[in-house]
Amino acid sequence: MTFLLYISACLLLLVSFAHSYLGERYILIRLFKRDNLPKLFGNDDFTKRTLRFAWHLTSVTWVGFAAILLALAEPNLNKVTVLYIIAVTFAIHFIVALVGSKAKHLSWMLFAVVSILSAVAANS
């Protein structure tokens, strides 16, 4: 079973890298050249930023799942390890959403709360 978890984690890391790199190069850049994106807050900058950070957060989530799979491969796994992985994953979500949207997309607040609550639960 451990070997299967390692393979699964490696596949998630691979697809995460491919998703971010190829998506940025072949989808997002081409999409952003269009002139008919929704204009929110006066222009299409918010739309582009939201699409970009949401795209890459998918990859961050897959890396978090890969970390959980690697943790599950350990014989002495406890809940605290999984909670810390979740806390770190959502801390990254928080930073990406905050910076990527210039704090305009309010998901950063939710991600921060999830990260903090997961870390507090791990320390309880």
Side-chain angles (χ1 to χ4, degrees):
M1 180 171 95
T2 302
F3 179 72
L4 299 176
L5 293 172
Y6 285 135
I7 295 296
S8 296
C10 287
L11 290 172
L12 280 175
L13 291 173
L14 180 66
V15 75
S16 173
F17 174 76
H19 181 264
S20 276
Y21 176 75
L22 296 173
E24 186 71 41
R25 182 171 174 144
Y26 295 107
I27 296 174
L28 294 175
I29 296 221
R30 291 177 183 177
L31 178 66
F32 296 160
K33 289 180 182 177
R34 299 176 62 112
D35 61 356
N36 63 345
L37 292 174
K39 291 175 180 28
L40 304 170
F41 301 111
N43 58 35
D44 63 1
D45 184 58
F46 177 76
T47 303
K48 289 176 182 178
R49 287 178 164 279
T50 301
L51 289 170
R52 177 167 276 132
F53 87 73
W55 185 275
H56 293 295
L57 280 184
T58 303
S59 298
V60 171
T61 303
W62 293 338
V63 171
F65 272 108
I68 290 172
L69 288 170
L70 291 174
L72 288 170
E74 295 300 315
N76 298 323
L77 173 69
N78 58 42
K79 287 191 251 186
V80 173
T81 302
V82 175
L83 285 169
Y84 279 130
I85 292 168
I86 292 168
V88 169
T89 300
F90 280 93
I92 295 168
H93 277 64
F94 154 68
I95 293 165
V96 170
L98 180 70
V99 173
S101 74
K102 296 182 179 177
K104 289 182 181 177
H105 195 284
L106 301 180
S107 63
W108 65 267
M109 287 189 241
L110 173 82
F111 296 145
V113 171
V114 169
S115 177
I116 292 166
L117 293 177
S118 297
V120 169
N123 290 313
S124 301

